[in-house]
Amino acid sequence: MKKNLFEMGADWDTGWSSDNKGKKQPEQTAKILPPEKHRLYCSREKRRGKTVTVVQPFALEKSTLQVLLKSLKKKLGTGGTAKEDTLEMQGDLSDSVKRELTQMGYRFR
């Protein structure tokens, strides 16, 4: 009797596996830059009838980006999210976001 009926003829010695848990995810090799080396771009977008302020691209670790987002949300009194290398803030806050990030040492185009 076979060990598992779903492994018909699979040769485990050649490195074949039936699940993807053993596969390594590609690592992101993004360079982490200090604030004065950033060249950020600020834009406004309309999403479902509401205005969103988008600031990108940040070259920071995900945890550092989350801390930056939290401090901006608290200072500006608004909601927002961090997606990959961008910060999205609810509302038309481009002037306020630029002012706060410039005080922190970030530069804009």
Side-chain angles (χ1 to χ4, degrees):
M1 188 175 197
K2 291 185 178 180
K3 294 179 184 177
N4 190 346
L5 295 176
F6 297 109
E7 300 171 2
M8 294 190 269
D11 186 17
W12 295 98
D13 296 332
T14 60
W16 185 87
S17 73
S18 61
D19 61 350
N20 61 355
K21 293 179 182 175
K23 292 182 182 178
K24 294 182 180 179
Q25 299 295 331
E27 294 182 15
Q28 294 180 355
T29 58
K31 291 173 36 175
I32 299 171
L33 298 175
E36 57 273 358
K37 296 286 184 175
H38 280 80
R39 298 283 292 167
L40 301 175
Y41 174 73
C42 187
S43 65
R44 287 180 302 184
E45 296 180 4
K46 286 282 214 172
R47 296 188 182 170
R48 298 183 186 150
K50 310 218 178 198
T51 305
V52 177
T53 303
V54 180
V55 182
Q56 62 184 348
F58 284 94
L60 300 171
E61 291 180 353
K62 190 170 185 169
S63 60
T64 310
L65 192 60
Q66 290 290 338
V67 170
L68 177 64
L69 173 69
K70 187 173 182 177
S71 68
L72 280 175
K73 287 185 348 183
K74 190 166 188 163
K75 287 180 182 179
L76 301 174
T78 186
T81 186
K83 294 184 179 177
E84 295 178 8
D85 63 343
T86 65
L87 290 181
E88 298 178 0
M89 308 295 285
Q90 296 175 357
D92 184 7
L93 302 168
S94 56
D95 296 331
S96 304
V97 170
K98 283 182 182 180
R99 183 175 5 98
E100 292 296 329
L101 287 173
T102 304
Q103 288 177 355
M104 292 179 190
Y106 292 93
R107 295 184 345 180
F108 285 87
R109 291 182 185 173

